[in-house]
Amino acid sequence: MTVGVKEAMDGEKQRTTEDNVVIKNIYYMMTYAFKALRLDDYRRLATEDFDHIDDLLAAILAIAIGTQRRRGFEREYLPVHENLHTVRGHIDMPATARLQMAGYNGLSCVYDVFSENTYKNRVLKTTALLLIGRRDVDTVRKTDLKRCLIAMRDVGEVDIHRVDWARLRFHRNNASYVLLMNVCQMVIERELFNQDEGNRSMRYRSKRKLSKLYEKFVLEYYRVHHPELSASAKTINRQAQGNTEFLPRLLTDVTLSKGKRELIIDAKCYGHILDVHYDKPIYAPKHINQIQSYVLHEAFGNDKLVDGMLLYAKVGDEDGHNETWSELGHRFSVRTLDLNRDFAAIAADLDDIAVRWIEGTGAKSAGAILLEPQ
């Protein structure tokens, strides 16, 4: 069953971007973006129906926590402060002096314990508890999460308003937490958005999270299904001189390479496709300027044939676009990828982009849409 747009919760006045995307497609996008979801443990999710994004995230998290429990939860050496009568670890002299002044005949000691009460595990437990309290999560999923939390009884919680995502660090030994923490971030940011619908910052962060998922999905799709195109998220050399520290990096979302040809794809899942200039529709100038900058910098000083494309995720009621034009010796395109369809149709569109580019053909020539104000 393909599910259409659902309200995030009763009485919600504004919808998040995720609510306009077919729920199952979120799962497919995450499957490409996170290799962990390709394991056998998650395959049954492809056959299940989900009426809400929270229900899908709860199902993923329940399986992920169960899998992590079997592998073993992350452990770290954490400092413990305790008042003792014998020395353990090292003595906190200022705290011990305060104890003596208060009449306590003991020592304030600081020692390390190897514990599962790490920051990631606390975020994980907090997220599971949030999902258990959501009305849109199926009862079966809630039961699965409660069962998982039994193994985390010694783990604390965090304040969702103060989660420091930049604090999270990943390496080979805890790589399985990448999926877990990304799911947690989606759940927590949706919760904060629902609590404060007027907070423009939270709305932006929620959209950016889905946007990054969309970018990663497109990149990994081409890596998996079109290895001959050498898909990468390439950083383009500006070849600038002088003080360049203030200049932003030219980091592409997707670059397809074959021989001396390259297609730079800028994947966008937020913002309007069209602007209006003197009552005439034009493509968003900042987006056009961005993809042109990528292409011109990449082509400068070499014999590569570089093309550029803006690939918008269509998640609302805007019209689809499939236009191409030539400018300064390069071919540029604007296409939309409608996420409100069966995933097979989405995959077919991505394949079509690759085939058309390989064959050297584009979409129909742009005519009705003005690219520059006149």
Side-chain angles (χ1 to χ4, degrees):
M1 178 182 69
T2 301
V3 183
V5 178
K6 291 285 184 180
E7 293 295 338
M9 59 186 300
D10 293 342
E12 184 179 13
K13 297 179 181 179
Q14 298 186 34
R15 296 171 179 168
T16 60
T17 308
E18 296 97 321
D19 294 322
N20 290 327
V21 183
V22 176
I23 303 301
K24 187 59 73 66
N25 288 340
I26 294 274
Y27 165 71
Y28 287 124
M29 289 168 63
M30 294 181 71
T31 300
Y32 282 94
F34 305 106
K35 295 180 181 179
L37 280 175
R38 303 174 202 173
L39 300 176
D40 291 339
D41 293 340
Y42 299 92
R43 291 190 183 279
R44 66 177 176 83
L45 295 181
T47 63
E48 295 189 25
D49 297 325
F50 301 96
D51 292 333
H52 196 276
I53 180 63
D54 289 335
D55 197 30
L56 169 62
L57 295 177
I60 293 175
L61 200 63
I63 296 175
I65 294 177
T67 302
Q68 191 62 50
R69 177 182 57 82
R70 292 190 294 272
R71 291 177 178 173
F73 289 112
E74 178 188 61
R75 289 171 175 260
E76 293 178 355
Y77 282 102
L78 302 176
V80 174
H81 295 256
E82 188 175 3
N83 298 330
L84 302 170
H85 291 286
T86 58
V87 177
R88 183 176 180 183
H90 68 270
I91 301 174
D92 184 344
M93 297 304 295
T96 299
R98 288 194 293 270
L99 288 176
Q100 297 290 337
M101 293 176 63
Y104 178 80
N105 187 23
L107 302 170
S108 179
C109 298
V110 181
Y111 57 92
D112 292 335
V113 294
F114 199 49
S115 171
E116 292 181 351
N117 193 31
T118 66
Y119 195 68
K120 296 187 190 69
N121 287 336
R122 283 183 281 147
V123 171
L124 188 57
K125 182 175 181 177
T126 301
T127 304
L129 291 171
L130 278 177
L131 289 171
I132 289 172
R134 293 276 178 86
R135 69 181 68 183
D136 297 307
V137 176
D138 186 86
T139 303
V140 175
R141 243 80 74 178
K142 291 183 179 181
T143 301
D144 291 340
L145 286 172
K146 290 176 182 178
R147 187 180 299 113
C148 291
L149 290 182
I150 295 175
M152 304 184 74
R153 54 186 174 273
D154 295 327
V155 176
E157 300 175 37
V158 295
D159 182 353
I160 64 172
H161 298 87
R162 298 176 180 273
V163 179
D164 184 5
W165 301 107
R167 174 179 170 179
L168 304 179
R169 294 292 181 268
F170 303 99
H171 47 75
R172 179 184 299 177
N173 293 334
N174 67 4
S176 56
Y177 274 80
V178 174
L179 169 64
L180 289 165
M181 292 300 100
N182 274 274
V183 172
C184 290
Q185 188 171 4
M186 291 181 70
V187 172
I188 289 176
E189 289 188 352
R190 282 178 59 82
E191 175 68 18
L192 295 176
F193 175 80
N194 291 335
Q195 288 181 5
D196 189 359
E197 295 174 359
N199 190 326
R200 297 182 61 184
S201 174
M202 281 311 308
R203 189 179 307 123
Y204 171 78
R205 287 167 59 186
S206 180
K207 290 181 179 180
R208 279 297 299 167
K209 192 63 183 175
L210 182 62
S211 179
K212 295 300 293 184
L213 174 62
Y214 175 64
E215 294 167 9
K216 184 68 172 175
F217 155 65
V218 175
L219 173 62
E220 293 300 326
Y221 183 89
Y222 283 119
R223 281 178 171 169
V224 171
H225 297 288
H226 295 276
E228 74 280 4
L229 299 182
S230 301
S232 65
K234 182 178 182 179
T235 300
I236 299 173
N237 184 6
R238 280 186 171 275
Q239 303 186 55
Q241 299 178 351
N243 183 12
T244 62
E245 294 181 359
F246 62 93
L247 295 176
R249 289 193 307 161
L250 297 179
L251 178 61
T252 65
D253 296 334
V254 183
T255 298
L256 305 182
S257 303
K258 188 170 185 179
K260 291 189 175 182
R261 297 184 60 202
E262 286 189 358
L263 173 63
I264 298 175
I265 300 176
D266 196 27
K268 295 191 176 297
C269 195
Y270 60 94
H272 296 290
I273 301 176
L274 294 178
D275 284 347
V276 176
H277 185 79
Y278 292 110
D279 297 326
K280 294 182 180 180
I282 62 170
Y283 287 127
K286 62 180 180 181
H287 296 168
I288 295 294
N289 293 339
Q290 183 180 15
I291 191 64
Q292 287 180 336
S293 178
Y294 287 167
V295 169
L296 295 179
H297 277 86
E298 177 64 9
F300 180 78
N302 59 58
D303 56 353
K304 292 181 180 179
L305 181 60
V306 185
D307 301 322
M309 173 180 290
L310 290 171
L311 184 60
Y312 289 94
K314 183 176 180 295
V315 294
D317 298 327
E318 280 193 291
D319 294 332
H321 295 265
N322 187 2
E323 311 286 353
T324 191
W325 71 98
S326 295
E327 188 173 350
L328 300 176
H330 302 280
R331 188 175 62 191
F332 296 92
S333 304
V334 173
R335 288 192 63 158
T336 49
L337 195 63
D338 189 351
L339 300 183
N340 288 300
R341 301 175 298 162
D342 185 81
F343 187 78
I346 297 173
D349 277 0
L350 291 173
D351 292 337
D352 180 66
I353 289 172
V355 170
R356 285 178 177 271
W357 178 67
I358 292 173
E359 294 177 348
T361 61
K364 63 182 180 180
S365 177
I369 305 297
L370 298 178
L371 305 177
E372 295 290 345
Q374 296 182 0

